[in-house]
Amino acid sequence: MTNQQYDAIIVGSGPNGLSAAIVLARAGLSVLVLEARSTFGGGARSAELTLPGFVHDIGSAVHPLAAGSPFFQSLPLAEHGLEFIYPPVAAAHPFDRDGKAAALFGSVDDTARTLGADEQTYRRLLEPVVKHWPTLAVDVLGPLRFPNHPLDMARFGLDAVLPATFLARRFNTTEARGLLAGMAAHSIQPLTNVTTAAIALVLMAAGHHRGWPIPRGGAQQITNALVSYFQSLGGHLEANRPVRAMTDLPKSRVVVFDLTPKQLLSIVGDRFPTLYRKQLEQYRYGPGIFKIDWALDGPIPFTAPACRQAGTIHLGGTLEEITEAEQQTYDGKHPEKPYVLLAQQSLFDPARAPAGQQVAWAYCHVPNGSTVDMTEAIERQVERFAPGFRDRILARATMNTAQVESWNPNYVGGDINGGIIDVRQLFTRPTLSLTPYRTGATGIFICSSATPPGGGVHGLCGYHAARVVLRDSFGKNTPVELTGE
Ligand SMILES: Cc1cc2nc3c(=O)[nH]c(=O)nc-3n(C[C@H](O)[C@H](O)[C@H](O)COP(=O)(O)OP(=O)(O)OC[C@H]3O[C@@H](n4cnc5c(N)ncnc54)[C@H](O)[C@@H]3O)c2cc1C
């Protein structure tokens, strides 16, 4: 290397950009991260959005995938200030009838016991996945390849490939069917789509393995720990550095983009061969989200006791209701009773709000690009399961899909997964390739959630991309192999 200022430049400081940066720095490369915004972290940032003293998670809030990430587990993040808090109930799912709720606990046993007649069915479904989860996670949360543990993977795949609505037929109770639907709806697509069972199984297994924790102090603390570790390896970062063209970059041997195909095309599209460019142009984004953060003068008065102990609540009622709401969203409509994901972080991390007061975080799915204000629909769903909720609101901050995208350009049309993860795009993120992190141009790579394994704060897209960078451009092997053992 002669006239290069850096071995590698990473564009974008989301969890995947920072993870790629760490893998490259650990291999001894000089690495610079350029971030468009004034703060690092992409989807994992926190700020006082409503009133002074109320710390809100602007993007991610609850972190089963971060806690369960084989890559994050290989990093000394606790030494760099990251502490996870585990609410007693990982996730609760209330129903109208009798103020009851299904609940995902740390153990399969505790969860199964809440499901009445479906107790044994739940055990049969989850126990094998949970037993093999540490090694299975390495295969499931990686790019398409021959699995390290083919038998476990095949067993998992038989259930995972199903539409969630189909898998739900194994259950008889409203509680078990609703719990499964609430999990599967994280996929942000109709629950009748094949492979929607996979996200439910992954989230439930991750919950039984390492829980659904929240970081003490907010999602920003995950970022801060990644940044601090990266800097300890000699890495450099610059904020307020939007990259609009390759000429904005200092000289380097490789550039790794923590961006999605739309931005990649606008920055570097002219360097790609026609076929690769065409594939990126055909990349599809999914539904968006409408987000609310509340400052509250007390805890949310949920009727169901399990909800009052849960970090995350899925509000949407029965499997049938959630299926209908997600289908409507996919069809371009705004459901009257949307499926709402809600987190109540300050119940377990009191420093997030002034004494005796609380923050809460929620979003619902909306059509891509929607500017409809869903405040009323979301608050109606909370009130439905927590009468008196509205009286506790001191202030709120909202973001429609346009505001979400202007906060972070990776969320095109409000799609927080960096592109829809349906069966067509599961194996073509962002193009059909066994090495999806390589682009059509030498020395240019992509590492965002538009690559496998997709959305969520886990850093695994960045880890896998960096392995390819090391092999392709530096002839090096990755210092740490993930085995999950
Ligand atoms: C409201 C919301 C709730 C979520 N909830 C959860 C959750 O609870 N749990 C969970 O695991 N995940 C959650 N997610 C998803 C998670 O945040 C993302 O999947 C994750 O952040 C993706 O990481 P990434 O590194 O691929 O990209 P991002 O985190 O999106 O980072 C991309 C970075 O690139 C920067 N950038 C963009 N364009 C440029 C440019 N031209 N030049 C320089 N920099 C640029 C952006 O500013 C950003 O910092 C949520 C996301 C949102 C928005």
Side-chain angles (χ1 to χ4, degrees), residues 14 60 68 94 97 123 133 161 165 184 197 204 232 277 307 315 320 386 404 414 435 481:
S60 69
R97 214 187 42 193
R123 279 184 211 281
W133 184 245
V161 76
T165 46
M204 292 193 284
S232 77
R277 207 172 50 233
C307 294
L315 302 170
E320 290 73 18
V404 169
T435 339
E481 288 285 340

Side-chain angles (χ1 to χ4, degrees), residues 12 14-16 35-36 42-43 59-62 243 258-259 408 410-411 449 456-457:
N16 287 313
E35 168 54 50
S60 69
V62 183
V243 174
D258 184 17
L259 309 184
N408 180 344
N410 274 31
Y411 304 143
S449 61
V457 176

Side-chain angles (χ1 to χ4, degrees), residues 49-50 58 289-294 362 372-376 378-379 395-401 403-404:
L49 299 176
T50 54
I58 316 173
I289 61 149
F290 183 92
K291 164 96 193 303
I292 305 192
D293 288 283
W294 294 283
V372 170
D373 186 339
M374 295 296 281
T375 304
E376 171 57 27
I378 289 179
E379 291 185 354
R396 67 169 76 73
T398 64
M399 283 198 289
N400 64 25
T401 67
Q403 291 159 325
V404 169

